[in-house]
Amino acid sequence: MPARHKSLIPSSIRHKLILAAVTCIVVPAIVSLILYNSLTKEALRQQAVSNASDALQLVRGSVTNLLLSKINIANYIQMNSGLNSYFKQVVSGNEDPDPYRRFMDSNRVLEHLDSLTVVGEKSYVTVILENGSYYMNYSVSDYNPLDYRQRPWFSRISELQGLESLWTEPEATMFRSDQIDHPTQLSVVRTLRLPDSEIYGYVIVTFMEDQISGIFNSLSEGNDMVLLDAKGTIVSGSHQNQIGTTFAYLDDLDQEKPYSIVPMKGEKQLMVHQDIPFAGWRLVLMQPYKDAIVNINSIFNRVFWFQMCFFLIFLLLLIALVRAFTKPLVKLGKVATAVQRGNLEVRSNVHGNDEVGRLGHLFDDMLDRFKGMISEISENQARKRKAELRMLQAQIHPHFLFNVLNSIRMKVMKRGDPESAKMIGSLSVLLRMTISREEDEIALHEEIDLISHYVALMNLRQKEEVRLELEIAPEAFLFKVPRFFLQPIVENALIHGLNQQAGTIRIAAAMKGRHLVLAVKDDGIGMDAAMRESIARRIQGGSAGSSMQEEASGGSFSHIGLQNVMERMSMVFGEAFQCHVYSEPGQGTVIEMYIPERGNADV
């Protein structure tokens, strides 16, 4: 698995459980919300269409009643036998020759026409006969009925069959009394025919367009409504400036579906339409889609947020429960980390009757056993070291050696050879410190004194003398160190560094905080990088067993070995002790040690 993918996987069992639980809840919840949203949108659309259709149906009923009232006026005139008989007499020239009776007959017709518009919306009723006669319920001064013949639609009247009606396009109001308040008029036209279907007259019922738009404004407040003719021309509408123009969204009216949702002016509009069959017109309602669904959507939104709140509450509760259940595991993990760093005193104190509680109890018991085993091993190693040193010390009887050496020194001095006597004295001191004293630690100044005697003795064996230089800080003199730990290092400098030739060995010691920094330097032949790394590996990875075999085979304190010294120092001072080797060919060798105070050592 790529590293970047591994970094995304939680490392904690708690986080894994939380992630798994959240995933198992969130994924189904998201899928449910997506389905819910999809179904909700469809339900909102259907409900919005239903509400808009109901509103349009109410408007359609009122508009239909208004248009039917105009049709009924034309029907009355067209079907009334008395009126038709009179109109036929006038057209045929068979009127009563008496002027008074002609006036009375004409007046009765006008009264009929006036009575047709007494109830309901105002309408202008006109009957025009082919001989040029006309009858109307308005004054000629208001409008000359014969001017109807000049209208563009008048030529299409002859195409009507039987009881068919012609609904005219919207046109500017021609009646002077209504031109200011009512700028647009509409008309419905019927024909008067003889038995042979020949047209002998025309019935024209004219009404103001705002009678329809008034219905729009009263019954569909806040929505845009238009009434379209068969060509898509706006016959009436909520906005006066649109009347007479072609409906801009005519192509979006789907004959198969009673509604459509179209973008208008940057927002979606719900467009619902219904037909008015007897007029060949179509009623269209337009409503902002967001307004159409606002009330229904608010209900769905409240349900949605209610579900989301419950989801978040249960999610937080689940996370809290997972954290509570995994708290002992997290504590065990922290304890394990502390143990890995070397702290064996820490305990988890996790108790309980479940698996985690038993695991915590067993883990604490294991740490107790480990601590006991480590203590026992440390004691055994210490006893082993002491026994090995005692075996070395027991190889020569101390008192016998000391007495013999003192006798030899006295005889040499009596014969006048003080230098030899001094060397024998140095050997006596060296042996006494090596095999007689039982304590493992001595002060640094005692160790330096031993090294001085040792170098003096080694100069007797060599043809060329080695000079020992000391640079010991006063505060370091009383620092406690393992007994005779410098001898193998100095011996290596004499034999391997200086190659038993003349040279200088310099020992420097100083306190750095709670550590003693001690360096042994020679100006010998040095070593290359491969040899230096080999020695460093032996210092860090050597075994005690090989060192002891080397000591036993050597039979002398000078063969304890550098490796054994480093092992002793690590056992006494723990990981806080450090040793570094610096050397270059022809530049000599430096062995530098950082020795902590015994009280700070991590054994």
Side-chain angles (χ1 to χ4, degrees), residues 122 124 136-145 147 173-179 185 208:
K122 181 179 180 181
Y124 294 94
M136 68 282 187
N137 63 345
Y138 54 88
S139 172
V140 176
S141 62
D142 204 8
Y143 180 69
N144 185 358
D147 289 342
T173 300
M174 296 176 292
F175 299 93
R176 293 182 178 88
S177 60
D178 282 334
Q179 284 178 342
Q185 69 179 27
M208 298 299 107

Side-chain angles (χ1 to χ4, degrees), residues 375-435:
S375 176
E376 182 180 352
I377 291 171
S378 298
E379 291 177 2
N380 290 337
Q381 290 290 337
R383 286 195 297 268
K384 182 179 179 181
R385 287 294 181 188
K386 289 181 180 180
E388 290 171 348
L389 290 175
R390 289 193 185 100
M391 288 176 63
L392 290 173
Q393 294 168 1
Q395 291 179 4
I396 304 175
H397 195 280
H399 296 289
F400 172 75
L401 288 176
F402 298 152
N403 292 335
V404 171
L405 287 175
N406 278 330
S407 298
I408 295 173
R409 186 172 65 85
M410 294 300 295
K411 287 183 180 182
V412 171
M413 287 185 64
K414 287 180 181 180
R415 292 179 180 178
D417 189 359
E419 186 175 354
S420 298
K422 182 180 179 181
M423 293 300 102
I424 295 173
S426 296
L427 178 60
S428 177
V429 171
L430 191 62
L431 289 174
R432 186 182 301 275
M433 291 297 294
T434 303
I435 64 177

